[in-house]
Amino acid sequence: MIIVMHGRANPAHIDAVVAKIRAAGLAEHLSRGTERTIIGAVGDERVLSADMFETMPGVERAIRVLKDYRIVSREVKPDNSVVSVRGVQLGGSAIQLIAGPSAIESAGQMQALATRLRHSGVGLLRGGAYKPRTSPYAFQGVGEAGLGYLQQAARSQAMPMVSELLDVRQLDTFLEYDVDVIQIGPRNMQNAELLKEVGRINKPVLLHRGVASTLSEWLMAAEYIAVGGNHNIVFCERGIRSFDTASRHALDISAIPLLKRETHLPVLVDPSHAGGRASLVAPLACAAIAAGADGLLLEVHDDPQQAWCDAEQAITPAALDELLATLRPLAAVVGRTL
Amino acid sequence: MIIVMHGRANPAHIDAVVAKIRAAGLAEHLSRGTERTIIGAVGDERVLSADMFETMPGVERAIRVLKDYRIVSREVKPDNSVVSVRGVQLGGSAIQLIAGPSAIESAGQMQALATRLRHSGVGLLRGGAYKPRTSPYAFQGVGEAGLGYLQQAARSQAMPMVSELLDVRQLDTFLEYDVDVIQIGPRNMQNAELLKEVGRINKPVLLHRGVASTLSEWLMAAEYIAVGGNHNIVFCERGIRSFDTASRHALDISAIPLLKRETHLPVLVDPSHAGGRASLVAPLACAAIAAGADGLLLEVHDDPQQAWCDAEQAITPAALDELLATLRPLAAVVGRTL
Amino acid sequence: MIIVMHGRANPAHIDAVVAKIRAAGLAEHLSRGTERTIIGAVGDERVLSADMFETMPGVERAIRVLKDYRIVSREVKPDNSVVSVRGVQLGGSAIQLIAGPSAIESAGQMQALATRLRHSGVGLLRGGAYKPRTSPYAFQGVGEAGLGYLQQAARSQAMPMVSELLDVRQLDTFLEYDVDVIQIGPRNMQNAELLKEVGRINKPVLLHRGVASTLSEWLMAAEYIAVGGNHNIVFCERGIRSFDTASRHALDISAIPLLKRETHLPVLVDPSHAGGRASLVAPLACAAIAAGADGLLLEVHDDPQQAWCDAEQAITPAALDELLATLRPLAAVVGRTL
Amino acid sequence: MIIVMHGRANPAHIDAVVAKIRAAGLAEHLSRGTERTIIGAVGDERVLSADMFETMPGVERAIRVLKDYRIVSREVKPDNSVVSVRGVQLGGSAIQLIAGPSAIESAGQMQALATRLRHSGVGLLRGGAYKPRTSPYAFQGVGEAGLGYLQQAARSQAMPMVSELLDVRQLDTFLEYDVDVIQIGPRNMQNAELLKEVGRINKPVLLHRGVASTLSEWLMAAEYIAVGGNHNIVFCERGIRSFDTASRHALDISAIPLLKRETHLPVLVDPSHAGGRASLVAPLACAAIAAGADGLLLEVHDDPQQAWCDAEQAITPAALDELLATLRPLAAVVGRTL
């Protein structure tokens, strides 16, 4: 912690700061500049908070030197982590695709789609059984039955299954249906109780970024999971809120390289939710891979116009195949396989 | 629903839109302009979604005419709603104050503070037993014991008690300790499962705005609660995320008049979290009352520098008294009592 | 400047930083912590930039200790500055009102409005002769003739006149018509060439905040004017861009106390442009005065529905009188006159 | 224009709206729904504004059907426009690179860099003679001499030259030095007077997006230029302001496909300013090309640590060559040449 004193701070102000640093078990280090005195707290600054000092008279600001996340930090583990799920590797040299409908509709739908997606080269099957919706009048998902349809379809194609968990009370059901990757959506990124629960199990967690979360808050959310013992965390960038409503959210493409510098964990991108419309999926997917993403999460529906949820952003299996025809050579250009 | 066709939409495109409107049980109304054909869907548009049309060829955009919220809407109930809690009226002519520490620390702290706040004229006592923190390493609250301290202090002063609920599994405990007003914090504003649960009980809910939630999303979150049967909802504006980090969040002062136009429910303001520092509490509190807020939520701590959480934004009881000396005549100016 | 080294920075990295500090004529001050070495640069850090260090190997980040603005800073001049214009004091104990139409339409309009506004107690008359519009097809103002109408009306009522300058080439015309306060609008807040020009004259400048400018950038824009010799600068907060389109801009109410802490110069608020609609003017105006603003800029039009520009946000003279009936006692509550 | 009436609008309200539509020379088209009456204005809605109706009693909102931009719109000209400058085609099948230092420093620097960049395959040479800086104390550029250095270097390599225009008064100098492409920076995107001036000349204009400008405002800025007669406009996305300060700005990658759908004009991307640091240039440049950009603007400096301006974001010529080794095959994957 670095404490910058006001230009007019007096010796008593400085002494009080020093006393507080010592009381916390750290040592001080004073630097008297021409216009400001700066005090460094030497030792484990994690027992300190900026608040402790910024409320003191004569203090201009207190700056943390260390980051709050540890386990997920690349500083602690410099090499990339690979998250394995039923033999599929997330974060390795192969780009991975997770695909499926926004909302699971029926057993038949999931079975047909799983077969089709498997054939296209999709690695993991995704579908929403419980849907987080802005309106209470909107379709809320088929519920538990959906997990059954998803499981059946996924197992028949030997694909790991991915679904979104909304509530701690659903966790047992998720474990019962053996959901392979548990998605935490943007609305729950800072739901600490849910994060703590998925931190106690040994399933990979796909952690979406909140629509207005900073990278630092996102890394801290991952740390909540990691601190419980579960280090199988995969980040998923899906767009941030901006002042422009021309696209639903603004895909934060810089988040990919920035996050990969800060953490050893895999980083995926969801171009479907970011853009919020089918025509944006291909350019955003290509951009994500070009920028270094480890994989994509794509909403695919056999007949998007008839989809029960998020119709506007789903692409057809045929459009997926077309996209893959570009993504495959593109992955090769950036040294990856697909 | 109004569907605007592209300049180059052909008759078949128009026919398909008309067919879809009819299939949903509504009637169409065509208006052929000089550059665009516009199709109105006449009937209950809530069975339609913009997605259903915007994915069709020849459609430029689809615009909803009606808002998605109903129960909380002033259109449905033009007069102000007053939410009563143990004889205290929120949304009436009296400005109400909810005050207390960010985090409950001990029985003694709460008792002393309750006595002090009651004496200052505070109507409701607030304290956090479970704390939602960005970092898993930060203090997470004293837990259930805290509800006991809060209850004891509140009952001794005949003040209704207010505390934040983070998890559906805590709800029974909250009911056991008879928490009078259940706070839903910004991180949980779109936690639909939690909203549904508090919609089933008959306790007033204090619904904070998410840091990047639009007014429309906030109203929809309230509708989630209302649709379950609980109409005792109080909004609390507490700042939105902006590009400027000079203050923690930007208090959205316009939200007060805008919200009061859209809904009949009370609207409070939390200047402590909005500004994130004690020196901003007074100006923001005055601004909120001047702009028409029905009350304030204030973080007060006997010794802010020693507070276990959010030290920087707490004010002392003495500072509260000083603030009240300005707020009281100010309330009178805008036709309210305090 | 404080330079924080990476955890794995080696002695050569540290030596290079030290060498660079010395080469710039400053002295270094090393503090070796448990996880990081921190290097302070002692001396006038304004010759340094963060870039100079953050591009060096082993450096994690460089933090400026001092702010870039000096002349406008309260650190340099702790007492409030009062800007006088034809005997009207901005920033003194009296709240000042600047009012008039968005666009000047005719001599008759301005004359009638000036008389009416003067009678209501408005101190300064404002009108736009040149209008900055988003669309090239929108009305661009009546031009130079408008300055004549404004001048005639203002002089007849002995009110100082205020008008917006869009282009350096208009400055001579503004001086010719003796415009008393030169407005720099949000689109030009970072138009450095324009700022330099108004820095060379001795007319007060009303500097609006850019819609997405930080307080720090705004203060720097003022510094551009001040460095030229013109210290008669008045800030005008008029709303920032947010993710919510419910109001045109979000009035940043916290900017008032934050700015007044950083600078000795007066701070006004423009509730008309911030909210973008007439119904928001009164609550935002009251909030601004309650939060400590030194005055208001209000768009007033005799018949808003017929206004040539920004019709939606103008209020009538009658509405202004009604607003003043609340603002006057409100000003008294916060210790001001109006 | 579509006017949506309030649920409780009465016949007189509707009649008034109809009368206003007719007065403007358009015809009305009424649609009475179950909860709302909707009135369409048939004819050229560009003579109407939403303000004209939203201030009328009984009106809920007025929605424009047509967009305000025309000349730059793809609706008017469906095929891509190619902007030619000294034989270099912007917007054709070849990806174009514009590169050079943020600030021109000396004749020698520009000559060496031009030779080096030409050799790497860069098509256009760029350098800033006048620098728009946030601080008046920061280096403001070498001025006119810089245009001479740039011209000499560019002509010697037969590269078109690109430089940023800050002020209408500099335009003659730019024409004198025959600057081939005139850059309008983000701070001036809504400087209408400057846009009008460059609209009167026949030089291509590189129009950067304002840091908080919507796509619609950006297109309108281009329309300001186009309406003057100059249709040689090239857009340059360079990052938007977000709530996260982890990168300087957030590159809005979706802007590329969205803009190309709305306009026939070329769209470039500036990854240097968007990310604000050298390590982000390569991933953002790759993403931009993958998403469909027509070219890149890159800051290159022989010795970034010694650069007089924006040192942190410049890459070396060697780093550029390395980037091109990826960009070339990537361009081929998306069907372009480089």
Side-chain angles (χ1 to χ4, degrees), chain D residues 103-172:
Chain D
I104 297 168
E105 295 168 12
S106 68
Q109 171 216 30
M110 288 312 295
Q111 189 58 58
L113 209 49
T115 313
R116 187 68 170 83
L117 292 172
R118 183 64 167 150
H119 181 260
S120 293
V122 168
L124 302 96
L125 185 68
R126 186 199 155 276
Y130 303 93
K131 298 300 303 172
R133 305 301 297 273
T134 299
S135 165
Y137 305 116
F139 172 57
Q140 309 274 319
V142 295
E144 186 179 334
L147 293 181
Y149 308 154
L150 175 62
Q151 187 188 38
Q152 205 172 5
R155 295 298 172 256
S156 82
Q157 298 298 318
M159 297 166 89
M161 65 192 270
V162 183
S163 202
E164 182 174 350
L165 179 72
L166 296 184
D167 186 343
V168 286
R169 296 169 302 181
Q170 295 161 353
L171 188 53
D172 285 345

Side-chain angles (χ1 to χ4, degrees), chain A residues 40-322:
Chain A
V42 183
D44 181 6
E45 75 169 24
R46 286 176 177 115
V47 302
L48 308 176
S49 77
D51 280 12
M52 290 170 63
F53 296 98
E54 293 190 344
T55 52
M56 298 178 75
V59 172
E60 191 168 279
R61 57 179 169 146
I63 304 158
R64 286 188 86 83
V65 171
L66 300 179
K67 281 151 183 172
D68 281 322
Y69 42 91
R70 305 172 206 184
I71 306 170
V72 304
S73 167
R74 197 176 274 283
E75 189 162 347
V76 165
K77 179 175 181 299
D79 297 328
N80 284 340
S81 287
V82 173
V83 173
S84 280
V85 46
R86 290 184 177 267
V88 176
Q89 317 263 46
L90 292 156
S93 65
I95 300 289
Q96 293 296 348
L97 302 184
I98 305 177
S102 171
I104 297 168
E105 295 168 12
S106 70
Q109 173 216 27
M110 289 311 296
Q111 189 58 57
L113 209 48
T115 313
R116 185 70 170 81
L117 292 173
R118 182 63 166 152
H119 181 259
S120 294
V122 168
L124 302 97
L125 186 66
R126 188 199 154 275
Y130 304 92
K131 297 302 302 172
R133 304 303 297 274
T134 300
S135 166
Y137 305 115
F139 172 58
Q140 308 275 317
V142 297
E144 186 178 335
L147 293 181
Y149 308 153
L150 175 63
Q151 187 187 41
Q152 207 173 1
R155 295 297 174 257
S156 81
Q157 298 298 318
M159 296 164 90
M161 64 194 269
V162 183
S163 203
E164 182 175 348
L165 179 73
L166 297 185
D167 186 344
V168 285
R169 296 169 304 182
Q170 294 161 353
L171 187 53
D172 285 346
T173 310
F174 271 61
L175 295 177
E176 202 179 299
Y177 285 91
D178 204 14
V179 176
D180 300 300
V181 178
I182 294 180
Q183 242 184 305
I184 301 291
R187 287 176 177 85
N188 281 311
M189 193 206 85
Q190 288 203 317
N191 183 339
E193 304 310 308
L194 194 59
L195 298 176
K196 287 174 187 169
E197 287 301 325
V198 298
R200 291 188 189 110
I201 59 172
N202 66 350
K203 297 282 189 186
V205 177
L206 184 62
L207 181 66
H208 287 244
R209 182 180 183 179
V211 291
S213 298
T214 60
L215 294 188
S216 168
E217 290 168 342
W218 194 10
L219 286 156
M220 290 309 297
E223 190 82 8
Y224 256 105
I225 299 170
V227 87
N230 185 355
H231 296 191
N232 293 308
I233 305 162
V234 178
F235 291 89
C236 187
E237 159 66 30
R238 42 81 67 218
I240 54 172
R241 190 143 265 185
S242 98
F243 55 85
D244 197 351
T245 53
S247 67
R248 192 160 57 174
H249 295 296
L251 178 65
D252 185 8
I253 197 82
S254 318
I256 305 167
L258 287 169
L259 207 59
K260 290 197 78 72
R261 196 183 59 177
E262 290 299 312
T263 182
H264 49 87
L265 293 163
V267 178
L268 305 192
V269 168
D270 172 354
S272 306
H273 282 88
R277 60 174 81 169
S279 63
L280 288 176
V281 171
L284 297 183
C286 291
I289 297 308
D294 294 307
L296 298 169
L297 189 149
L298 296 164
E299 296 216 336
V300 182
H301 193 283
D302 213 57
D303 184 1
Q305 282 191 39
Q306 303 302 325
W308 299 2
C309 183
D310 284 340
E312 201 167 41
Q313 74 203 31
I315 59 171
T316 60
L320 174 64
D321 288 345
E322 207 181 310

Side-chain angles (χ1 to χ4, degrees), chain D residues 172-192:
Chain D
D172 285 345
T173 310
F174 271 61
L175 295 177
E176 201 179 301
Y177 285 91
D178 204 14
V179 176
D180 299 300
V181 178
I182 294 179
Q183 243 183 303
I184 301 291
R187 288 175 176 85
N188 281 311
M189 193 206 85
Q190 289 203 317
N191 183 340

Side-chain angles (χ1 to χ4, degrees), chain C residues 51 54-55 133-135 137 140 169 187 190-191 196-197 212 217 220 223-224 241 305 311-312, chain D residues 51 54 133-135 137 140 169 187 190-191 196-197 212 217 220 223-224 241 305 311-312:
Chain C
D51 280 13
E54 293 190 344
T55 51
R133 305 301 297 272
T134 301
S135 166
Y137 304 115
Q140 309 276 318
R169 295 170 303 182
R187 288 176 176 85
Q190 290 203 317
N191 183 340
K196 287 175 190 171
E197 287 300 326
E217 289 167 341
M220 291 309 296
E223 189 82 8
Y224 256 105
R241 191 144 261 186
Q305 281 190 41
E312 201 166 42
Chain D
D51 280 13
E54 294 189 345
R133 305 301 297 273
T134 299
S135 165
Y137 305 116
Q140 309 274 319
R169 296 169 302 181
R187 288 175 176 85
Q190 289 203 317
N191 183 340
K196 287 175 188 169
E197 287 300 325
E217 290 168 340
M220 289 310 297
E223 189 81 9
Y224 255 105
R241 190 144 263 186
Q305 281 191 41
E312 202 167 40

